[in-house]
Amino acid sequence: MQRLKHSPLNYVGRFAPSPTGPLHAGSLRAAMASYLDARAHHGRWLLRIEDLDTARAVPDAAHHIIQTLAAFGMDADGDIVWQSQRKNSYQQAFDQLADVSYPCSCSRREIADSRIGLASDGAAIYPGTCRNGMAAGRSPHAWRLRVPEAGHAEGEICFKDRWQGLFTEQLATAVGDFVLKRGDGFWAYQLAVVVDDAIQGVTDVVRGADLLGSTARQIYLQHKLGLPTPRYLHVPVVANAAGEKLSKQTGASALDLNKPLTALLEAAQGLGLALDGVNSVPDFWRKAIPLWAQRFAEPDVNHP
Ligand code: GLU
């Protein structure tokens, strides 16, 4: 196997599914890429269940995900982390951001009505209405992080994605002040993911390109919290026949636990790995890991 530059002792990767349904071909591609990258670097691969949003969680989905990963030969290192049990850490990080965050009373409708535009994740860009305080008599719908004014270098986030290449985002114009905590007490994904990646010592985030647009916010939060920035690799998302990102909403079906090899080979093909004569799940990984290693032997070079 080709030697990789990144020190194997340092490498920590992770897969961080939200338990909103069983794994499907789209989430398998993300899981596979993160697992391959960790194993190709002789690193650790952690599993974190992002179960903060109880309204979106589906009973037993986490269990099903864990079972599927095991059936597909992806064994996590160490204990599984559940975000629902880590709320104290999010509170601590939130407290650390007290000087740069503020309560906001705007409803979703009010923000949409301001028509500033849509962020890359489809949410309306926040117009900054409550930056200087909420209107009298209103109560918070959310707590937001104040991002630097447009044109300020601190708010222009630039990073090199190992698959997608160079990416630059001006936070003020792309998303505006973003949510850290919702009025109903739920911690925002952006805050929780940054805190957990740092606490778990994650060096390499490998996930679907649907999260590319969240990365600049996460890097900015890392700067604000004094945390290291991991390297990023965002794999293209799987689309359905209509060209939409595959998800439960767009008709993704659950992976068949009885046919792991078929699904693994399909996911590998989607990642551009050409595998021949694979006859079992262990054989799949034996062959796929060196192929991935060859492609990512120079981790800082884009476009494998
Ligand atoms: N929990 C997120 C999801 O399932 C992924 C988080 C991440 O990989 O950063 O979409």
Side-chain angles (χ1 to χ4, degrees):
M1 194 185 295
Q2 203 150 347
R3 276 180 66 84
L4 299 181
K5 270 190 174 172
H6 197 70
S7 163
L9 295 174
N10 289 340
Y11 187 108
V12 181
R14 55 43 160 205
F15 178 52
S18 305
T20 53
L23 283 189
H24 50 74
S27 32
L28 176 63
R29 185 186 285 187
M32 176 181 284
S34 68
Y35 184 78
L36 283 172
D37 203 47
R39 294 297 178 240
H41 287 86
H42 307 286
R44 286 165 57 75
W45 186 70
L46 311 178
L47 178 59
R48 183 171 74 229
I49 304 292
E50 303 210 323
D51 57 344
L52 284 177
D53 193 341
T54 44
R56 285 179 63 231
V58 168
D60 270 351
H63 199 73
H64 193 276
I65 291 171
I66 295 165
Q67 232 185 342
T68 309
L69 292 171
F72 281 51
M74 287 178 267
D75 300 313
D77 297 308
D79 292 339
I80 297 173
V81 165
W82 299 75
Q83 285 194 323
S84 54
Q85 292 167 14
R86 308 207 1 82
K87 293 178 184 165
N88 287 347
S89 304
Y90 311 139
Q91 181 68 50
Q92 267 173 29
F94 181 72
D95 292 344
Q96 229 180 302
L97 297 167
D99 290 348
V100 279
S101 60
Y102 61 88
C104 162
S105 62
C106 298
S107 65
R108 209 174 272 215
R109 172 84 273 151
E110 287 167 327
I111 298 171
D113 284 349
S114 69
R115 294 178 197 280
I116 293 204
L118 295 183
S120 55
D121 56 6
I125 297 172
Y126 184 63
T129 319
C130 296
R131 274 198 139 198
N132 300 316
M134 297 186 294
R138 297 200 56 173
S139 49
H141 270 232
W143 279 263
R144 292 180 181 273
L145 184 72
R146 191 183 292 274
V147 303
E149 307 283 348
H152 235 267
E154 197 203 353
E156 183 167 298
I157 306 295
C158 200
F159 64 96
K160 196 164 163 190
D161 186 87
R162 291 171 55 209
W163 186 302
Q164 310 283 342
L166 264 189
F167 192 87
T168 303
E169 185 171 294
Q170 177 80 237
L171 288 170
T173 49
V175 283
D177 297 343
F178 60 90
V179 174
L180 298 174
K181 186 182 180 181
R182 292 186 342 212
D184 55 12
F186 281 96
W187 295 105
Y189 156 69
Q190 310 291 358
L191 180 71
V193 82
V194 161
V195 169
D196 286 339
D197 282 341
I199 289 181
Q200 294 188 279
V202 170
T203 60
D204 287 78
V205 171
V206 176
R207 59 189 177 189
D210 50 323
L211 292 166
L212 190 58
S214 286
T215 308
R217 273 171 277 181
Q218 293 172 17
I219 293 176
Y220 184 65
L221 268 172
Q222 289 151 7
H223 294 170
K224 285 285 147 205
L225 291 166
L227 301 173
T229 293
R231 296 186 310 168
Y232 288 95
L233 189 160
H234 288 88
V235 294
V237 294
V238 180
N240 66 10
E244 301 158 321
K245 181 200 147 202
L246 199 63
S247 69
K248 212 173 46 167
Q249 290 75 24
T250 59
S253 48
L255 295 168
D256 184 346
L257 284 180
N258 298 315
K259 291 191 190 145
L261 203 48
T262 313
L264 285 171
L265 286 168
E266 199 180 309
Q269 197 182 16
L271 288 168
L273 301 177
L275 288 152
D276 280 330
V278 176
N279 53 38
S280 66
V281 170
D283 190 40
F284 170 84
W285 293 111
R286 247 190 322 271
K287 290 176 171 150
I289 293 167
L291 277 185
W292 183 275
Q294 252 169 36
R295 238 166 91 177
F296 289 97
E298 296 287 337
D300 292 332
V301 174
N302 303 308
H303 301 301

